[in-house]
Amino acid sequence: CFGICNEKGISIRTTNVRQLPSLVDGLTTADRQKIQEIESLASQALNGLTFEERQEQQDILHGVEAKIAEEETLIDSALRDLNCKLSSIKSGSMYEVAECMDPGYVNARVFQVMFLRGNRYDAEAAANQMLRFFEVKNQLFGTEKLVKDITLDDLDEGDIACLKTGRIQLAGKDRSGRQIILNLAGLRKDNMTLQNELRMRYYISMCSVESEETQIMGTVSILYTVGDMQDRFGGSGYLENTRVATSIPSHKAAFHICTDDIRQHLSHHCIIKLAPEKMRTRWRLHYGSRTECLYHMSTYGIPQGFLPVDSSSNQISIRRHLKWLESRFKIERSDRPLSSAIAVLTKEQITPTENDVLVIGGNRSKNLGNQRLRAVVKGMSQAYETGSKESRKDLVDFVISSVHDSGGWFLKQHNVDDDRGRVWRELPNDQIRKIVTQAFRNSYRRK
């Protein structure tokens, strides 16, 4: 549902439009009917559940659900049930094609357990999802890639360009340790094809479930359409994106929609219609400004820092996402030549902001990030000087984390072999540690 349950988990309400008179003015009769329909569907979603089922869905929403004890006997039993169900439904499916191509890939224990975890060890649901997974994978990437993990090298330049927009990105974790998947509708570009977007969604979603922790804890999806992040395309491609999302073996723990537009509030009624009854209780619609939406989501354990905002411009930033893409390139890189699509990632120009630490040789940069670094180091220099080797390492880690947590990078200019001359690049971790360690030594010597 889109509303907020009361503390007893018995009734449910959506945003009360009567409390927003300035927004209600001008609504058509059809708009008002949609509001009533949303409220009706939301109430039906809870009324159709038992008290125990209601409580279970609320626990999942808030990240306090009981963890499944993954005992070997439970896993082995679920795997037997899964393969039994697959045998009865796989005939003529792309799953069967994939199994014939490489049974080792399809029947791998870690691969099948991923689907069981995503469906809370419901073997029938996991089997049905596996069939959908291979159908979707075949449509997006072709039969020849059915039995291989999709990497950046399998994406074309249009897909990579779509990835770089930050339209969909991993945005850290909530307080329960669940992966946040952020959808920024306003970053959708005119030249993005639906196929590009679907392949991007598949790739990022599968990256998210590489972690065993995410497989167990689940994901939280956030659609953010506040201010200039509003969807200019009227939700086109929603059904296709939903089909891809539901084929991914992840436990969808919660769905949050943020908007400051009453019309978009109304347009989301179709989402409730399409969601299964139990899933409706895990939808939340947050209406208001950026600050209001962030506050409301914080009550569900979502840290306000999940939204990548540049503090100097107060605008949505994709720097964190581009850094993640660069890390993916490093993880996936091998001895084989780079495809032209992946090569695009290595040419990204970085424009420094006030939060960055700029490494410029022997000169002392006056950038705010450098000033903050010097202030933090100065305040901890005595502890560094008198501390043990291990405690010094912890202090260095703390300083580096404080820069990253503020949205900053450690940047240095490099020469490149093209017409751009010198460009800013992030330093590798070993060099960053050397710089911070030297900053501690210099600070103590100045006393």
Side-chain angles (χ1 to χ4, degrees), residues 228-344:
D228 56 3
M229 288 296 107
Q230 290 185 12
D231 186 359
R232 298 177 292 108
F233 297 88
S236 62
Y238 169 76
L239 292 178
E240 294 85 350
N241 273 278
T242 298
R243 187 164 184 267
V244 173
T246 55
S247 73
I248 303 299
S250 65
H251 171 50
K252 282 75 172 176
F255 302 83
H256 296 267
I257 300 177
C258 302
T259 182
D260 59 354
D261 186 293
I262 191 65
R263 303 290 175 175
Q264 290 198 19
H265 172 112
L266 297 172
S267 71
H268 293 307
H269 79 288
C270 64
I271 298 178
I272 303 180
K273 284 184 175 181
L274 294 172
E277 189 173 71
K278 285 188 178 181
M279 291 297 295
R280 294 177 200 164
T281 62
R282 285 185 253 156
W283 289 91
R284 288 294 179 269
L285 178 63
H286 308 286
Y287 184 89
S289 65
R290 177 197 297 173
T291 301
E292 291 170 323
C293 288
L294 293 180
Y295 169 75
H296 289 313
M297 283 192 291
S298 70
T299 65
Y300 292 92
I302 299 174
Q304 297 194 17
F306 86 89
L307 192 66
V309 178
D310 189 309
S311 60
S312 59
S313 64
N314 203 34
Q315 300 296 314
I316 297 294
S317 169
I318 62 170
R319 294 181 60 197
R320 183 173 65 189
H321 175 65
L322 292 176
K323 183 178 179 180
W324 174 81
L325 272 180
E326 185 178 355
S327 71
R328 290 300 306 182
F329 160 70
K330 292 176 181 177
I331 292 171
E332 297 175 5
R333 184 171 54 186
S334 66
D335 294 334
R336 56 191 167 81
L338 296 177
S339 71
S340 58
I342 292 182
V344 174

Side-chain angles (χ1 to χ4, degrees), residues 69 71 79 98 189 200 212 234 308 360 435:
E71 300 176 353
L79 285 171
K189 304 300 182 183
M200 168 190 65
E212 185 174 288
I360 51 177
I435 289 171

